[in-house]
């Protein structure tokens, strides 16, 4: 029997639409674990709840699931400064969390739809925190979402980028190399399906970054990008104001409450992140041709998707 959290009726229907057959779930997970065990280069989390997130995120295509899991742990090993585990007891991790730079809102869109995440880059000091620290914390929070949040896995996620109080120092942190790594990680490794990305309170330095990142994304994701500038009424046509935090005039929690909840979550996941340091890949043991990371992610290299099947 699969050790997977039961779904409510609405989400069970969504899971079925993605190809999930409850009576076959244990066999699907066993097949995936068997494959992981046969990969000499791969050390992966094989907990049922973790693996089912990838099955659901890949609509039960076993080959896509295998590929995405491999990519997830490949990038974790290759770029630990971005995708590696955090130390939840590091004061800088907690300080950065407390800035409220990244928020996952408690109620999904329309009550039963995609999870809503808000990135507020102007809340942290670009002089104090390298962008790698910010990305590593966000990815740790995202990993918790992958384990806990059935709405995010099954209904997808909607992201809001709020650039209020951002500076050119924040924009300058967004190098082409960094954006390539983050884009590959988001599209090719993480089993969360972005439904839309909205940008508000954009500043002068935003447009060059946006124009750099957009071509790196798949055609489908490019169509899901929306720039609202300072027009909040344009955003709230897509995300009704009640689903925004209290600080935005909504009813979806307050920044203080959300941060307090995530403080507790980091405490709960202390041992998990210690254990996750064991997971990753050893490229020397990978069957077949090794991945050419310099070509994939070098500043001068053209953007190409990973091919690790």
């Amino acid at each position: 029997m699969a050790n997977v959290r039961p779904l409510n009726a609405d989400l069970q229907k969504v899971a079925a639409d993605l190809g999930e057959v409850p009576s076959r779930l244990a066999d699907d997970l066993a097949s995936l674990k068997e494959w992981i065990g046969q990969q000499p280069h791969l050390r992966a989390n094989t907990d049922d709840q973790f693996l089912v997130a990838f099955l659901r995120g890949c609509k039960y295509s076993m080959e896509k699931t295998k590929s995405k899991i491999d990519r997830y742990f490949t990038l974790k090993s290759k770029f630990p400064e971005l995708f590696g585990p955090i130390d939840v007891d590091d004061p800088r991790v907690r300080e950065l969390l407390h800035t409220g730079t990244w928020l996952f809102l408690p109620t999904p869109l329309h009550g039963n739809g995609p999870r809503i995440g808000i990135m507020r880059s102007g809340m942290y000091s670009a002089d104090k925190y390298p962008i790698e620290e910010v990305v590593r914390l966000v990815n740790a929070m995202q990993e918790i979402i992958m384990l806990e949040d059935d709405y995010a896995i099954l209904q997808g996620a909607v992201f809001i980028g709020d650039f209020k109080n951002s500076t050119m120092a924040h924009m300058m942190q967004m190098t082409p190399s960094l954006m390539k790594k983050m884009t590959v990680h988001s599209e090719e490794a993480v089993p969360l399906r972005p439904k839309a990305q909205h940008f508000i309170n954009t500043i002068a330095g935003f447009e060059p970054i946006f124009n750099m990142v957009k071509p790196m994304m798949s055609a489908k994701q490019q169509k899901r990008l929306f720039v609202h500038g300072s027009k909040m009424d344009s955003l709230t046509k897509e995300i009704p104001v009640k689903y925004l935090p209290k600080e935005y005039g909504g009813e979806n929690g307050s920044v203080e409450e959300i941060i307090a909840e995530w403080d507790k979550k980091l405490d709960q996941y202390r041992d998990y992140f210690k254990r996750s340091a064991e997971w990753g890949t050893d490229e020397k043991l990978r069957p077949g041709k090794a991945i050419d990371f310099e070509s994939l992610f070098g500043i001068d290299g053209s953007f190409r998707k990973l091919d690790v099947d």
Side-chain angles (χ1 to χ4, degrees), residues 21-290:
V21 179
S23 63
R24 206 172 63 207
L25 184 56
D27 289 340
D28 289 336
L29 289 167
S31 176
L32 198 52
K33 291 177 188 178
E34 182 180 7
W35 172 82
I36 291 171
Q38 293 170 348
Q39 307 310 304
H41 69 292
L42 179 60
R43 305 180 308 279
N45 181 358
T46 57
D47 292 349
D48 286 358
Q49 194 69 56
F50 180 83
L51 295 180
V52 79
F54 283 85
L55 285 167
R56 290 166 173 169
C58 296
K59 298 182 180 181
Y60 276 81
S61 164
M62 191 60 73
E63 290 310 306
K64 288 182 179 179
T65 301
K66 293 174 182 177
S67 177
K68 187 156 279 199
I69 289 172
D70 197 338
R71 295 169 191 188
Y72 189 82
F73 289 104
T74 296
L75 295 182
K76 190 180 286 288
S77 286
K78 180 61 180 176
F79 305 111
E81 71 280 6
L82 295 172
F83 310 122
I86 60 170
D87 176 359
V88 304
D89 296 314
D90 183 343
R92 287 177 65 87
V93 168
R94 298 296 178 136
E95 289 169 8
L96 190 52
L97 175 71
H98 294 166
T99 65
T101 294
W102 189 269
L103 308 168
F104 282 106
L105 307 189
T107 301
L109 185 61
H110 305 306
N112 62 355
R115 182 63 58 191
I116 305 169
I118 301 182
M119 181 277 294
R120 306 189 301 161
S121 63
M123 301 307 297
Y124 76 93
S125 167
D127 294 328
K128 181 175 182 180
Y129 295 103
I131 189 64
E132 290 81 5
E133 288 189 43
V134 179
V135 173
R136 191 164 65 248
L137 173 59
V138 171
N139 278 294
M141 295 171 71
Q142 187 171 250
E143 189 158 345
I144 292 173
I145 287 290
M146 286 164 50
L147 291 162
E148 287 193 355
D149 191 349
D150 296 320
Y151 284 99
I153 294 297
L154 290 163
Q155 297 282 44
V158 172
F159 297 105
I160 301 170
D162 184 355
F163 291 85
K164 184 178 181 180
N165 299 322
S166 297
T167 67
M168 283 305 299
H170 291 98
M171 298 296 103
M172 293 297 289
Q173 289 183 324
M174 303 294 180
T175 65
S177 177
L178 172 73
M179 299 313 298
K180 286 182 181 181
K181 293 166 187 171
M182 291 175 61
T183 302
V184 170
H185 187 257
S186 175
E187 291 201 7
E188 302 296 322
V190 176
L192 296 176
R193 290 169 294 134
K195 295 296 186 179
Q197 296 186 55
H198 299 273
F199 303 96
I200 58 173
N201 298 316
T202 51
I203 65 173
F206 170 81
E207 187 173 352
I209 301 297
F210 182 81
N211 291 336
M212 173 184 68
V213 175
K214 187 174 179 180
M216 298 179 183
M217 305 175 75
S218 67
K220 180 187 291 186
Q221 291 306 324
Q222 289 184 36
K223 294 177 182 178
R224 296 174 176 178
L225 301 175
F226 304 92
V227 181
H228 303 283
S230 59
K231 300 175 182 177
M232 280 297 294
D233 59 336
S234 177
L235 173 67
T236 55
K237 287 179 183 178
E238 305 294 331
I239 302 177
V241 68
K242 70 175 289 185
Y243 295 107
L244 298 176
K246 293 177 182 178
E247 289 79 1
Y248 290 76
E251 304 170 14
N252 205 353
S254 70
V255 172
E256 182 179 359
E257 292 167 345
I258 294 167
I259 291 172
E261 181 64 25
W262 276 91
D263 250 333
K264 295 177 184 177
K265 286 186 185 296
L266 291 191
D267 288 340
Q268 293 167 1
Y269 278 83
R270 177 178 286 106
D271 291 340
Y272 174 87
F273 285 119
K274 288 179 179 178
R275 183 163 63 105
S276 72
E278 302 171 2
W279 302 326
T281 59
D282 184 343
E283 293 305 313
K284 294 178 182 177
L285 300 178
R286 179 183 292 278
K289 186 178 179 181

